[in-house]
Amino acid sequence: MSTFAPWQQRVYDQAVAAQASGRLAHGLLFCGPAQLGKRAVAERLAQRLLCQQPAAAGEPCGNCRSCHLLAAGTHPDYQFVSFVPNKEGTRLRTEIVIEQIRQVSEKLSLTPQYGGAQVVIIDPAEAVNHAACNALLKTLEEPVPGRYLWLLSAHPARLPATIRSRCQRYEFRLPQAAESLAWLKQLGHSDASAREALEAARGHPGLANEWLGNDGLKLRREVGSDLAKLARGDVGAVETAQRWVGDDNAAVRLRHAADLALADAAGLTDPGRTRSLAAWFDQANRTRDLLRTTVRADLAVTELLLAWHALHGRRAEGGSR
Ligand SMILES: [Zn+2]
């Protein structure tokens, strides 16, 4: 069984304490920044409720039929709901739709096949669309003992208040720097690279770990250097855009770019300049969304990079006057 990071363990312990005292609600909302391991905690909690031979402390055994079925993803009393392919099967939908929520309600109305609990996890819950939210609310309003419906969300504010108010809330928080650093080093990263990644990820240990694992920091440095060259006019927007969208990392580059613009803005005292960078930050995020649609990615990114150049060109002119 994998071990939790300290911030995961805190949330897990909190939920276990609620369970031990019979206060664990039917509807739970696990919220907090992406990549802090919300799903792993919810899944372990599900395993805890479904295990047929839990250990003394109530921890799942990992060996019973129920634990095996869960590990294989075929437990009849467990359901994970997320994005499914569209009708044409060409891409994943970007919403969780009403048919999916109807299946959840149906599932929760059945008697558990293994005599224990029934658990449904919806992730990301903020993707449940408007029509499906009403069906979801209905299910949350009619709790049945032993049936659990858990929502995972990095953007809980986007959920209707009626849904939020029906759920017991478990909050994942960014840990203190020392704890994040210790965790990254425990995963085998050097002190220096862990510190650099953590600073770049503004204290987010999950993101820092991802960047350390997939050359993300190198990519980030390259994006930073490209933006500096574009600002000075040393490279063209078109060729840079083609390079940025030339592999699978286009979205990650745009995320780094947006983030670097925000970091630039944070150090400024000129409000007009801060506003321009904030507008560019928004544009970068919109462009990243466009990558998922049919728009030609290189054109959208070229436009963004031209705007970046223009933003800095104006400053250069202003400064020379
Ligand atoms: Zn078990």
Side-chain angles (χ1 to χ4, degrees), residues 9 20 64 136 138 176 208 242 254 276 314:
Q9 190 68 46
C64 69
L136 182 63
K138 201 160 174 296
Q176 299 287 324
Q242 275 164 0
L254 289 181
S276 312
R314 267 204 301 283

Side-chain angles (χ1 to χ4, degrees), residues 51-52 61-62 64 67:
C51 176
Q52 296 165 305
C61 71
C64 69
C67 283

Side-chain angles (χ1 to χ4, degrees), residues 10-26:
R10 280 193 287 274
V11 177
Y12 181 72
D13 289 347
Q14 203 188 339
V16 163
Q19 184 208 1
S21 60
R23 289 179 293 111
L24 192 70
H26 158 77

Side-chain angles (χ1 to χ4, degrees), residues 124-138:
E126 72 274 7
V128 175
N129 72 17
H130 182 72
C133 267
N134 290 332
L136 182 63
L137 185 61
K138 201 160 174 296

